[in-house]
Amino acid sequence: MKAAVVYKYDSIKIAEEAKKFIEESICHAEIFHIPDKRLEGYDFIVSVGGDGTILRILQEVEKCPPIFGINTGRIGLLTHATPENFKDILPGVVDRWEIEKFMRIEAEINGKVMLRALNEIAFLSNTPARLIGLRVSVDGVEVEDMRCDGILLATPIGSTAYALSSGGPIIDPYLESILIVPVAPFRLGWKPWVIKHDRRIEIKVSRERNALAISDGQKILEVGNEDEVAVFTSQFPAVFFRSRYNRLERIKGKLMSLR
């Protein structure tokens, strides 16, 4: 068995400590600063950073080994431990090997999957402070046609991220669904949509300007009126070691701390 330790730029000391601890108590470990597809070849991944570090890992891996997160960031909704207690938690987690999977979504552009996200895929105006026209269809039925700064297609895990700050609801992280939330819509009384996870959502961009398609704030592509864009559930979920925390209690606690 072998482990990969992936760290964000200011957490190298904790990452080196984690690598040494893993090698002394669990298995061989190697360290990465920049995640890449080689991570798929490890038995498990230890992320040292915040939720953003985990999102960067998930941008690079398709078939995801179980992830254990050591939080050195601000929020840490996806993490399992802190630098102070990870040595007490990690060995038992690996020994039990209980995992949980969370859905990801993909954006297909002109017939090819180009983006994958755990939180959300955003379609935003490519011109700051200028509205963009977007039409949204679900299984061929048009459900929205609006002018806005953009629109978010989010997972249940992602409902507590960008979608929440844009006025969307908090969704149980174990409820498989896709959330549609406009960003600053030019319309009174708008409501978000919560769509069954196996639906196919199509996005049509107006001719006036292009949109930037952004996955988890990490990867960006430009799409225009001539592009065929669809979003749907990925067949490759994100895989985590099961947390000792109740997910709903953790969400509540973290969000309360932000008030």
Side-chain angles (χ1 to χ4, degrees):
M1 187 162 65
K2 61 179 181 178
V5 178
V6 183
Y7 68 96
K8 72 172 185 176
Y9 68 94
D10 61 352
S11 300
I12 177 63
K13 291 184 178 179
I14 302 299
E16 290 175 341
E17 183 181 347
K19 177 181 182 295
K20 180 180 179 183
F21 175 75
I22 293 167
E23 292 195 315
E24 289 176 348
S25 59
I26 302 175
C27 64
H28 175 68
E30 296 177 11
I31 197 165
F32 290 76
H33 177 43
I34 300 175
D36 60 47
K37 194 164 179 65
R38 287 176 297 166
L39 293 172
E40 292 185 4
Y42 290 81
D43 294 287
F44 67 95
I45 299 169
V46 174
S47 170
V48 183
D51 291 339
T53 306
I54 292 175
L55 295 177
R56 284 192 291 275
I57 292 170
L58 290 172
Q59 285 295 307
E60 303 303 325
V61 297
E62 188 175 71
K63 297 179 180 179
C64 180
I67 297 173
F68 179 92
I70 301 173
N71 184 32
T72 62
R74 288 179 295 176
I75 307 300
L77 276 172
L78 301 174
T79 61
H80 301 75
T82 67
E84 292 75 30
N85 65 12
F86 79 86
K87 294 179 182 178
D88 298 324
I89 299 172
L90 180 57
V93 165
V94 174
D95 185 57
R96 289 189 299 274
W97 205 266
E98 296 176 350
I99 64 171
E100 52 187 357
K101 298 179 180 180
F102 295 101
M103 62 174 282
R104 290 192 280 179
I105 53 176
E106 296 177 346
E108 179 185 273
I109 301 174
N110 299 323
K112 183 177 180 180
V113 172
M114 302 296 291
L115 299 171
R116 184 179 294 113
L118 174 64
N119 274 351
E120 78 282 314
I121 296 175
F123 295 88
L124 305 176
S125 173
N126 72 342
T127 307
R130 296 295 300 275
L131 296 175
I132 187 171
L134 295 169
R135 295 204 309 271
V136 182
S137 299
V138 178
D139 285 350
V141 177
E142 186 175 297
V143 297
E144 290 289 0
D145 183 359
M146 65 169 62
R147 290 169 58 78
C148 49
D149 283 0
I151 204 159
L152 308 176
L153 287 300
T155 66
I157 282 284
S159 71
T160 58
Y162 193 177
L164 180 65
S165 66
S166 298
I170 297 173
I171 299 177
D172 186 324
Y174 298 101
L175 179 65
E176 292 193 330
S177 57
I178 301 175
L179 176 60
I180 304 174
V181 182
V183 179
F186 191 62
R187 176 190 293 177
L188 296 175
W190 69 268
K191 298 293 182 183
W193 288 80
V194 180
I195 302 298
K196 193 168 180 282
H197 73 281
D198 58 359
R199 304 285 194 186
R200 182 180 177 90
I201 302 168
E202 296 177 338
I203 307 292
K204 190 66 176 177
V205 181
S206 66
R207 293 183 181 277
E208 57 189 339
R209 63 183 52 87
N210 289 347
L212 299 178
I214 309 170
S215 57
D216 284 343
Q218 306 293 322
K219 293 187 177 180
I220 304 175
L221 297 173
E222 189 160 348
V223 295
N225 178 258
E226 300 300 319
D227 293 310
E228 296 182 359
V229 182
V231 175
F232 45 83
T233 298
S234 173
Q235 63 177 310
F236 302 106
V239 183
F240 292 85
F241 283 112
R242 186 173 297 278
S243 175
R244 64 176 182 161
Y245 304 106
N246 179 291
R247 289 278 180 185
L248 292 179
E249 288 182 356
R250 189 167 180 80
I251 289 170
K252 176 187 174 183
K254 291 291 185 178
L255 296 181
M256 289 287 287
S257 70
L258 298 177
R259 293 182 179 179

